[in-house]
Amino acid sequence: MGTKFIEVDESHKGQPNVEEGVKTIEVGGQTITTPIYVQRIDFDDLAPEVTDNLTTVKFAVTVTEEMEDLTGEVDEDGSPVTEIKEIQVPKWLEVDLGPESLKQYEEVMAPFYAAARETEAPLVPAPRKRRKK
């Protein structure tokens, strides 16, 4: 999610997306901590100027990763032999979109939606013995 924080004065206390925090500054060798208020502003990940009517879109893509796998063989020293295999794994993503970006996303994805079958999210996590390329 695209998020930025702006400092606001105490009169904003209690308003939506306003949180109290502290600011620490050093002046003349002394550290001063003072309370501050900041407002969280969420924005469209593709168009940061858009901050209203955001929709979080979650999706998965299949990516190729390398995985270390046992071959069933044993080295001269008795240790198991491994090999690197490429596997396809799902990568779950999300993006926050304003109305125009959401419309663009839906237009681009329309042919894929039309050809897709509905399915359940996998219950089994991807293999953990992975090594990045």
Side-chain angles (χ1 to χ4, degrees):
M1 169 186 303
T3 302
K4 59 185 171 185
F5 294 90
I6 58 169
E7 190 171 343
V8 295
D9 61 49
E10 189 174 357
S11 68
H12 291 82
K13 182 179 180 178
Q15 292 181 359
N17 298 326
V18 174
E19 301 172 22
E20 185 173 357
V22 294
K23 183 193 300 187
T24 303
I25 57 173
E26 189 172 320
V27 179
Q30 293 183 342
T31 301
I32 300 171
T33 302
T34 181
I36 62 167
Y37 295 88
V38 292
Q39 181 177 13
R40 187 186 77 233
I41 300 173
D42 299 328
F43 57 87
D44 182 317
D45 290 314
L46 298 178
E49 68 279 1
V50 176
T51 58
D52 293 327
N53 301 317
L54 300 177
T55 300
T56 300
V57 177
K58 296 182 180 194
F59 57 98
V61 294
T62 301
V63 296
T64 302
E65 292 189 3
E66 290 182 345
M67 181 179 117
E68 197 171 67
D69 194 24
L70 297 172
T71 64
E73 299 173 7
V74 179
D75 275 341
E76 300 86 35
D77 65 359
S79 61
V81 175
T82 61
E83 64 182 359
I84 302 298
K85 289 185 176 179
E86 287 191 346
I87 59 170
Q88 301 291 313
V89 295
K91 183 173 185 176
W92 295 91
L93 305 168
E94 69 180 32
V95 63
D96 295 305
L97 303 174
E100 285 302 312
S101 294
L102 182 59
K103 182 179 175 185
Q104 290 175 1
Y105 172 81
E106 289 171 344
E107 288 172 357
V108 167
M109 293 301 294
F112 300 98
Y113 291 154
R117 298 172 302 281
E118 193 166 322
T119 185
E120 298 288 326
L123 299 176
V124 179
R128 303 311 277 163
K129 283 188 167 184
R130 288 182 273 173
R131 194 164 38 182
K132 299 280 184 194
K133 285 184 179 183

